[in-house]
Amino acid sequence: MIRHSNNASESWKNLPWKKFRRNLFRLQRRVFKAVQVGDKHKAKSLQKLILKSTAARLLAVRRVTQLNAGKKSAGVDGKLALTDQERLVLSSELKEKAANWKHQGLREIPIPKKNGKTRILKVPTIADRAWQCLVYFALEPAHEATFHARSYGFRTGRSAHDAQKFLFNNLRSQSKGIDKRVIELDIEKCFDRINHSTIMDRLIAPQSIKLGIFRCLKAGVNPEFPKQGTPQGGVVSPLLANIALNGIEEIHQSVRYADDMVIILKPKDDAEAILGKVSKFLTERGLKVSESKTRLTATTDGFDFLGWHFRVQSNGKFRCVPSVDNYKAFRKKVKHIVNNSNYGATVKTKKLAPVVRGWRNYHRFCKMDGRRNSLVDMQTRAFKVFNKEAKKDRYSSKKLLDIAFPSVPYSENKWVNVKGEKSPYDGDLAYWSERNSKLYDGETSFACKRQNHTCGFCGLKMLGDERVHLHHVDGNHNNWKRINLLAVHRSCHQLHHLEQKRKLRMSGAVCGKTCTHGSK
């Protein structure tokens, strides 16, 4: 039992997070195994245990309030963040009401789309997101045992790079990709039109979770379509969409990432017949194919998918490069930072580095030669701005430029796909921890291997459910000696620095620097 002492911050930070993670994973693994062998009754009993689990509750609260990218997004109640005391209170509330949770309304945020239209992001309150995360812990392992191997979107242990490599394997010269065609499938308003009964009928969960999910769906409905839609912005929404669309991959050879899909056709395949089967599948789920955006394309003409442009050249070789739209969006971000007059060159450098590194990392398995993809024009413009603002010698500006545009090693088509239908919940810790270390390069990868793919703080395996950070032991982020680098979980790293800041505040000192994250 957790005591709500006056020093709630101390209580929260000193909770046994390592033990919690281990306990939750043990239950999730049992749920996965039960569904895998067809024992859904046992799986539902285990899901009830997760719903009641102290470990799951506290980990859910921590994820939505401290770890998720949208942790400071307010719902209709206006709450942006919680104190440690409020986190403990929310955990107690989940304990009392999890089996009969009632959702509040959703805050609607219009997001402009590239075609000029808008989509509505519907943000639940922090408490509702915590409940959804708790339920997600129970639902994901159950459905991971049923998901198709070629579904890669919003799944633990899988990524867009798996879809990229699948297309390479099926369109390269050895696979005679030059003779093939593809159907670029677009589902019209997928998240807004999914039939609620489709989701509820396919949900593997006890009645208490089903009731809560039903209320969650009803909280975000469009009044014009009261029996359709899953709100975009909820923690559990991508999982519900995957549950509804699971099985569409079996119609024909294809790859799916959430609601984006590419179907690969051989010369003798009937495109209309395949589209007819797809339309029938979607109609049963309250969805339909977008005729204006769905197109049949020859592989030699090229097509866009997940921010990449895929094309088979006239000589039969497969090529993948960043798409024009993806590059334009990235260029717009860089331009906004470089041309912003509100801060100087040093601040711009710190803001540019993660943006550039993220873009280059995402495209590191592409063909990245050429002036555009090398970013030489952006670097030239940034150098001129830095040289003017730094008001120092050109060497200082060049050093800032090297930091702002970090290099990333490229290895075209070298990504290794997940084996078949493997899942992080299958218990093969050796496979998943070793695979996770290969997702990184340089010093991060070396540190993972040196530590036998375990976190330097908590000692648990790196399973791919969380990013790996590099911790600088002496606190000096310029010291890249290998003895000074420790590979740790992102959450462990965050907790470590929060504790360091607390100790410094207590000693009257000021915490100025933290160590760098990611890879080098």
Side-chain angles (χ1 to χ4, degrees), residues 215-229:
R215 288 171 176 169
C216 169
L217 294 173
K218 291 303 179 185
V221 297
N222 185 330
E224 297 178 16
F225 305 96
K227 296 183 179 180
Q228 294 179 336

Side-chain angles (χ1 to χ4, degrees), residues 332-357:
K332 186 177 179 180
K333 289 181 183 177
V334 173
K335 187 176 180 180
H336 176 74
I337 296 172
V338 172
N339 294 340
N340 197 317
S341 59
N342 293 329
Y343 35 76
T346 305
V347 177
K348 289 178 181 180
T349 298
K350 292 179 180 178
K351 289 182 175 291
L352 273 175
V355 174
V356 175
R357 183 185 291 111

Side-chain angles (χ1 to χ4, degrees), residues 8 20 26 32 58 80 108 117 122 138 147 170 172 190 211 241 260 281 363 365 386 395 411 422 430 437-438 444 476:
F20 289 163
R26 189 182 295 117
F32 177 86
L58 290 165
L80 285 170
E108 297 187 356
K117 298 181 180 180
K122 299 181 179 180
F147 282 157
N170 286 274
R172 58 183 175 174
C190 179
L211 178 61
D260 292 326
F281 178 94
H363 298 296
F365 301 106
F386 290 172
Y395 174 77
S411 50
K422 284 193 70 66
S437 70
K438 292 178 181 178
T444 307
N476 178 11

Side-chain angles (χ1 to χ4, degrees), residues 428-466:
D428 191 352
L429 300 184
Y431 171 81
W432 286 104
S433 58
E434 185 175 347
R435 174 179 172 78
N436 191 40
S437 70
K438 292 178 181 178
L439 304 183
Y440 302 90
D441 51 64
E443 298 301 339
T444 307
S445 177
F446 182 85
C448 286
K449 292 175 183 176
R450 179 163 47 87
Q451 296 166 207
N452 195 25
H453 315 295
T454 60
C455 173
F457 285 152
C458 71
L460 297 180
K461 289 285 188 181
M462 308 283 196
L463 298 180
D465 57 337
E466 212 176 316

Side-chain angles (χ1 to χ4, degrees), residues 39 61 116 121 173 184 187 240 255 257 316 318 384 466 501:
D39 192 349
V61 172
L121 186 68
S173 56
E184 301 172 66
I187 303 172
L240 297 181
V255 58
Y257 191 93
F318 175 87
K384 290 179 180 178
E466 212 176 316
K501 288 179 180 179

